[in-house]
Amino acid sequence: ADSLSRQGLPAEFAGNLMMDCLQFKNPAVFQEKEGWVILLLPGSREEAYENMKDLTAAVVALEKLASEQGIKQRRCYFVALAGGLNFNELSKRLGPEGWVGAEPEAGEVEEGVCGRLSRVDAKGNLRITIVQGRFADLLAASDLVIGLAGTGNEQAAGLGKPVLTFPGRGAQFTKMFAERQKRLLGDSVCLVVREPEVVAEAALGILRDPAVQEKMGKSGRQRMGDPGGARKIALRIKEYLA
């Protein structure tokens, strides 16, 4: 809007339609009172399966770093799996990486849980819960989003969630796309290189610094605007046509 105004056009910012597309049911289901909730967003297209290899590698590195630093605070990992993606296919792709898929436990299906990935190594048993259909609730419950998503990253920022990102391996979330998204979202996004140890260090740095979280959250809410943009834009169009 500022750029268009500088060109002499009567432009105004009324909000972002993305923020009106979030449907909340019960975020408390995924919240952790005594730990951090870390949400992984691999994207919504086919490349998400490959992106998950990098995201899970970051989880392994993060757990290793947390152990080395003596961090006792619990870490809970979730994946918001897009409707067009399949948990069984995800498990199959991550099998060679040492991850094993498991069916949801009793009562979890109703909460949107479609499965769980686990990996046993020298640091213990890592678990990642895979959820479909509860994207808004997962965002609301999260303390940090590590995302390789377009709209998903932007909605997370709009809710005031710190977003950590790095270029993916597919045609969608490229280095150029990530850099453009960073320019759009400003300080709400931390963009790093695609190295598990770098991602892990950045993640813990954000999680352990309330001042950084506050700064990132404020920037995201400012850049994306409050919910209600769709109605405001519609009313402005109606006013113009009248």
Side-chain angles (χ1 to χ4, degrees):
D2 289 343
S3 178
L4 291 170
S5 295
R6 287 194 295 271
Q7 303 303 314
L9 294 171
E12 63 179 276
F13 176 64
N16 194 308
L17 300 165
M18 293 180 190
M19 302 312 298
D20 295 326
C21 302
L22 297 170
Q23 298 181 347
F24 301 94
K25 295 180 181 178
N26 183 16
V29 170
F30 306 108
Q31 289 173 339
E32 182 65 30
K33 294 182 179 180
E34 298 181 357
W36 292 317
V37 174
I38 301 169
L39 179 60
L40 310 176
L41 302 182
S44 59
R45 302 180 186 178
E46 184 71 17
E47 66 190 63
Y49 296 120
E50 290 300 307
N51 287 340
M52 272 300 295
K53 294 180 181 179
D54 291 312
L55 288 170
T56 51
V59 168
V60 172
L62 199 158
E63 287 299 301
K64 179 182 178 184
L65 184 60
S67 176
E68 291 172 350
Q69 295 184 1
I71 297 175
K72 302 299 182 182
Q73 196 155 0
R74 187 181 176 197
R75 279 98 40 207
C76 297
Y77 299 96
F78 291 91
V79 171
L81 194 65
L85 302 176
N86 182 271
F87 171 68
N88 290 330
E89 180 64 22
L90 180 65
S91 300
K92 178 182 176 183
R93 298 283 190 98
L94 292 174
E97 312 296 319
W99 294 90
V100 178
E103 296 298 316
E105 297 175 1
E108 288 188 323
V109 175
E110 292 77 8
E111 297 174 354
V113 177
C114 57
R116 187 169 279 103
L117 295 170
S118 61
R119 184 178 189 270
V120 178
D121 59 18
K123 300 299 179 182
N125 186 16
L126 303 184
R127 299 206 315 170
I128 302 175
T129 303
I130 316 299
V131 183
Q132 283 184 315
R134 299 290 295 274
F135 178 61
D137 286 346
L138 286 168
L139 281 184
S142 65
D143 296 294
L144 173 68
V145 173
I146 306 179
L148 306 183
T151 301
N153 279 9
E154 288 149 27
Q155 288 173 314
L159 284 181
K161 303 298 180 178
V163 178
L164 174 58
T165 189
F166 54 89
R169 296 180 181 272
Q172 181 189 18
F173 206 81
T174 61
K175 183 175 184 290
M176 182 180 293
F177 185 95
E179 290 172 346
R180 287 176 174 173
Q181 187 180 71
K182 167 66 177 175
R183 287 198 294 273
L184 169 71
L185 297 176
D187 290 336
S188 64
V189 167
C190 176
L191 175 61
V192 298
V193 296
R194 192 176 60 225
E195 295 290 343
E197 292 75 18
V198 175
V199 177
E201 186 172 353
L204 283 181
I206 294 170
L207 288 167
R208 302 182 75 182
D209 193 332
V212 169
Q213 295 170 34
E214 182 178 357
K215 179 182 178 180
M216 295 179 75
K218 181 179 180 181
S219 175
R221 288 189 291 267
Q222 182 182 39
R223 293 297 181 103
M224 293 295 292
D226 296 326
R231 177 174 175 79
K232 291 178 183 178
I233 292 170
L235 291 175
R236 293 294 283 118
I237 293 172
K238 182 181 178 181
E239 179 183 323
Y240 174 79
L241 292 176

